[in-house]
Amino acid sequence: MMSSEVFSANTTADGGIDWAEKRYLIIDDFVGIRQLLRESLRNLGAKHIDQASSGGEAMVLLSKTRYDVVLCDYNLGDGKNGQQVLEEARIRNLMLPSSVWLMVSAEKSVESVMGAAEHQPDAYIIKPITEGVLLTRLNRVWIKKQVFSEIDQAFADKDYLRAAKLCQDQVAHHPLHAIDLLRMKATLLLKAGETEQAGVVYEQVLQDRDYNWARCGLGKIRMAAGDLEAARMMFQAVIADNRFYIDAFDQLAQSFQLQGKTEESFDVLQKAAKLSPNSVPRQRSLGQTALKLGNIPVAEKAFRKCIEIGEFSVRKTVDAYLGLARVCGQKNDTKEAIRLLNAAVHQFGGDQVTLRAKITEGLVYHESGDFRRARKSGDELEAMLADDTRQRPDTETCLDMATLLFAVGVKEAPVHLLQYVTRNNHDNTVLLDDVQKIFDRARMSDEGAELIKEARLEAAEMMNRGVLLWKTGKLQEAIDWMRVARRSLPHNMRILFNSAQIIISALQQNGYERGLADEAIGVLMHVDAIAPGQQRFAQLMEQLAMLAPVSGVVAAAAASEYEAANGPVPESTRFTSS
């Protein structure tokens, strides 16, 4: 519940807003504009004002300080633009729910405004801006955003369930802002994997008014539940009502993809990319879908655009380079394809990228008919896999690699890869069907089915041993065994969750220990990076926050330390045996 003290800290004696002690960041590449905005803020009484002349400088400051108000220009010269700064700030959770972000720009083009709007600034102000306009917009947005001030800490701790409860508490005290609070509550519940509860919130909102964001939210829930036709109808209804509601286009394209309707998905993505072309994920999806359909001109255009706009974006992706290399391979321009693959390895680095580039190289040679070089790439991949110092690739990379290795005549290495994928996903029937199809294409249907069965059993036995040790009270042995299991199967969600739960049980039984809590946080952050939005992730994070000596603080600190070391990550509590 928001107390009167919260408002008194933010207001003056006469009821006005106290701007003096708030922290401000002005981002603009022109020193004259920065000075004008700084003077305007000082005239409001502001004391703590930082300035950045570029997107890169802004990100350094945003990483160090939680600002109350950010005034950001759209065009920032070389490097990141304002949209990309806002995008990265949102993705990395550098802005709290109560923080205010004003996009200040002379840019009026539809694609620029829509691109910025996708990342939800609190206001978009067109230059020239007067002190009166600035004060009016700040007042309006600030009052609205302060209902979220008590939600900030839970949000920063990634304790999304507690933050959602606080949203509901605030609705009774601030009925004028009930819709914003309910929207935030639904978003938090989705982050926590509580789709059923989020659906109830969206339904509640829609009884009051037909909000497109609520209909889109329900559509996402329907899609996640497998009701693809209902989801499709919802997204199409939103688009019919508002042809600029870009999220509905992206979701509609995904619903078509899940239905196997690639051409329909392609058509929707083309329309979305025309409306708002400055989205890296959207251009990547368009390129990949066009490539799947054999539409080389559109695939090439999309991947090139993806590389261009991704240059200074937090969403910059190696997929664009690999996809464009495949396009060049289709055009028999192997020289350009290899140049792109070398650029990908140089810019992104790491074993995973090197592996994926080598796979793509083999596919390029194979598709262009150069079977000798394709086999050479396969041999090099086989040597990479035999190197015990390398991390195993992710699931998608393993499947691509196995496909190529089988195609160039290698057998043993792809079999081991597919068994590894199976052990890490032993209860994912959809993925295991894909594994079986790869065996089928390699003319190993019966042998493949048996190999899959053996690998599933091995993973289940490994997990169940840890659960059995826990149930029989051998907590330390259970923790030690699950560490072994995690090293062996680092992408097995059931093993990861059970490992975190066993550690939490030890903390509950034996008292809080920072080292063990940090270990659990590391496991959960790894889960959140692999598959964000898991219900069990949110539940276990909440349990950890409640165990900490100061609720949430230690858990949040450990999460922050993990992210500092590993980079930003995007996101049933019972044990179950197979």
Side-chain angles (χ1 to χ4, degrees):
M1 181 175 101
M2 179 172 283
S3 63
S4 59
E5 285 79 6
V6 173
F7 276 120
S8 65
N10 292 314
T11 57
T12 58
D14 61 0
I17 297 171
D18 180 8
W19 299 108
E21 297 303 322
K22 296 178 180 37
R23 294 154 298 179
Y24 302 83
L25 175 61
I26 300 170
I27 311 169
D28 200 296
D29 56 330
F30 287 106
V31 63
I33 299 295
R34 294 201 304 273
Q35 289 174 344
L36 285 172
L37 289 172
R38 184 186 61 192
E39 288 308 309
S40 294
L41 291 173
R42 281 183 173 171
N43 289 340
L44 298 179
K47 299 176 184 175
H48 312 295
I49 306 172
D50 290 335
Q51 300 179 51
S53 60
S54 68
E57 188 180 346
M59 290 314 308
V60 172
L61 292 171
L62 285 163
S63 299
K64 294 178 179 177
T65 303
R66 293 281 192 181
Y67 289 100
D68 298 299
V69 177
V70 176
L71 304 173
C72 181
D73 189 21
Y74 184 88
N75 292 311
L76 297 172
D78 295 335
K80 292 179 185 292
N81 61 30
Q83 173 189 328
Q84 292 165 337
V85 174
L86 173 57
E87 176 183 50
E88 185 167 347
R90 293 286 189 231
I91 289 171
R92 294 175 58 190
N93 289 333
L94 300 180
M95 297 293 289
L96 294 170
S98 64
S99 302
V100 170
W101 189 293
L102 301 184
M103 192 68 79
V104 182
S105 179
E107 182 64 65
K108 300 179 183 178
S109 70
V110 172
E111 68 177 49
S112 297
V113 174
M114 286 198 66
E118 282 194 63
H119 303 289
Q120 300 179 356
D122 296 298
Y124 194 100
I125 307 175
I126 301 296
K127 292 178 181 178
I129 178 172
T130 66
E131 191 172 307
V133 168
L134 177 61
L135 179 58
T136 299
R137 299 301 288 275
L138 269 177
N139 274 322
R140 185 185 307 160
V141 174
W142 182 264
I143 291 170
K144 179 179 177 181
K145 293 299 289 287
Q146 291 322 292
V147 298
F148 295 100
S149 61
E150 282 195 297
I151 299 161
D152 283 350
Q153 188 60 56
F155 181 87
D157 292 351
K158 293 194 175 185
D159 192 349
Y160 301 130
L161 291 175
R162 183 162 61 92
K165 291 171 187 172
L166 288 169
C167 284
Q168 186 59 52
D169 291 343
Q170 300 291 37
V171 170
H173 298 282
H174 302 285
L176 286 176
H177 302 293
I179 293 301
D180 294 308
L181 285 161
L182 290 172
R183 184 174 186 175
M184 173 62 80
K185 178 184 177 182
T187 299
L188 289 163
L189 289 170
L190 285 179
K191 276 181 173 287
E194 296 285 356
T195 53
E196 188 174 334
Q197 290 186 45
V200 170
V201 176
Y202 286 131
E203 295 280 11
Q204 176 188 346
V205 168
L206 289 170
Q207 288 177 7
D208 178 58
R209 183 175 168 184
D210 204 11
Y211 290 98
N212 282 323
W213 57 264
R215 285 198 288 172
C216 216
L218 271 182
K220 293 175 187 178
I221 292 170
R222 299 284 188 274
M223 186 162 61
D227 193 350
L228 301 176
E229 189 59 22
R232 177 192 65 78
M233 292 173 66
M234 285 183 172
F235 298 137
Q236 286 180 327
V238 171
I239 292 168
D241 184 59
N242 181 356
R243 67 188 183 89
F244 293 108
Y245 201 91
I246 199 72
D247 186 39
F249 283 89
D250 292 335
Q251 301 302 326
L252 178 60
Q254 187 179 350
S255 72
F256 279 133
Q257 285 279 16
L258 292 171
Q259 288 178 296
K261 297 179 178 179
T262 308
E263 290 185 5
E264 288 88 340
S265 178
F266 173 72
D267 289 340
V268 174
L269 284 169
Q270 275 198 300
K271 292 174 184 174
K274 186 175 180 181
L275 275 173
S276 186
N278 294 328
S279 164
V280 171
R282 187 172 303 120
Q283 293 291 352
R284 178 187 59 202
S285 296
L286 177 58
Q288 290 173 333
T289 306
L291 187 60
K292 189 181 294 186
L293 291 171
N295 191 327
I296 300 306
V298 173
E300 180 173 6
K301 182 180 177 183
F303 285 133
R304 290 195 186 280
K305 180 69 172 178
C306 191
I307 290 172
E308 175 197 335
I309 60 179
E311 181 62 25
F312 300 104
S313 170
V314 68
R315 292 187 181 273
K316 181 176 181 177
T317 172
V318 71
D319 293 343
Y321 291 82
L322 302 182
L324 187 55
R326 290 289 300 277
V327 165
C328 292
Q330 297 279 347
K331 295 169 66 178
N332 287 320
D333 188 356
T334 54
K335 185 177 179 180
E336 174 67 3
I338 300 305
R339 186 194 70 77
L340 284 161
L341 294 175
N342 289 335
V345 172
H346 175 73
Q347 291 193 40
F348 294 88
D351 287 347
Q352 293 283 327
V353 171
T354 302
L355 279 170
R356 292 187 66 193
K358 184 58 67 175
I359 294 166
T360 306
E361 177 188 281
L363 290 170
V364 166
Y365 285 136
H366 194 265
E367 290 166 355
S368 63
D370 192 340
F371 300 118
R372 182 185 64 81
R373 283 182 170 160
R375 178 58 199 243
K376 184 174 182 292
S377 297
D379 291 341
E380 290 171 358
L381 278 172
E382 200 172 6
M384 288 180 181
L385 287 174
D387 183 355
D388 291 336
T389 63
R390 286 178 177 269
Q391 252 190 339
R392 282 287 191 177
D394 59 55
T395 296
E396 186 178 348
T397 303
C398 284
L399 295 181
D400 288 343
M401 197 184 309
T403 300
L404 173 65
L405 290 171
F406 276 138
V408 299
V410 178
K411 181 178 179 181
E412 186 176 348
V415 164
H416 289 321
L417 275 174
L418 294 179
Q419 286 181 301
Y420 175 78
V421 168
T422 300
R423 288 193 297 270
N424 274 283
N425 302 274
H426 71 283
D427 56 356
N428 186 334
T429 55
V430 174
L431 182 62
L432 295 182
D433 284 343
D434 290 338
V435 172
Q436 182 63 54
K437 287 173 185 174
I438 295 174
F439 277 123
D440 293 344
R441 287 194 294 270
R443 299 181 180 179
M444 295 177 60
S445 296
D446 292 342
E447 185 180 352
E450 189 60 33
L451 288 167
I452 290 171
K453 181 180 177 181
E454 291 174 4
R456 291 187 71 188
L457 182 61
E458 181 184 340
E461 287 177 347
M462 182 171 282
M463 182 184 69
N464 290 343
R465 179 174 172 181
V467 174
L468 181 61
L469 287 168
W470 171 75
K471 286 183 174 178
T472 54
K474 300 174 182 177
L475 264 177
Q476 188 56 54
E477 290 179 51
I479 290 171
D480 292 340
W481 175 253
M482 294 308 284
R483 287 170 180 154
V484 172
R486 292 202 316 264
R487 285 194 293 271
S488 178
L489 301 176
H491 301 299
N492 188 303
M493 302 292 287
R494 297 268 296 278
I495 284 175
L496 291 169
F497 275 132
N498 282 353
S499 180
Q501 182 72 82
I502 288 171
I503 292 172
I504 290 171
S505 295
L507 295 173
Q508 291 169 335
Q509 183 172 316
N510 302 325
Y512 189 85
E513 182 185 327
R514 177 64 188 269
L516 274 180
D518 285 354
E519 183 178 349
I521 286 285
V523 173
L524 291 173
M525 290 297 103
H526 179 52
V527 168
D528 198 40
I530 298 171
Q534 296 288 312
Q535 182 182 43
R536 202 170 171 194
F537 168 82
Q539 292 167 336
L540 292 176
M541 283 293 287
E542 186 175 41
Q543 289 181 36
L544 271 171
M546 292 176 68
L547 282 169
V550 179
S551 181
V553 173
V554 175
S560 297
E561 288 170 12
Y562 179 90
E563 291 187 351
N566 297 279
V569 294
E571 330 221 293
S572 105
T573 56
R574 291 175 181 266
F575 285 108
T576 51
S577 302
S578 296

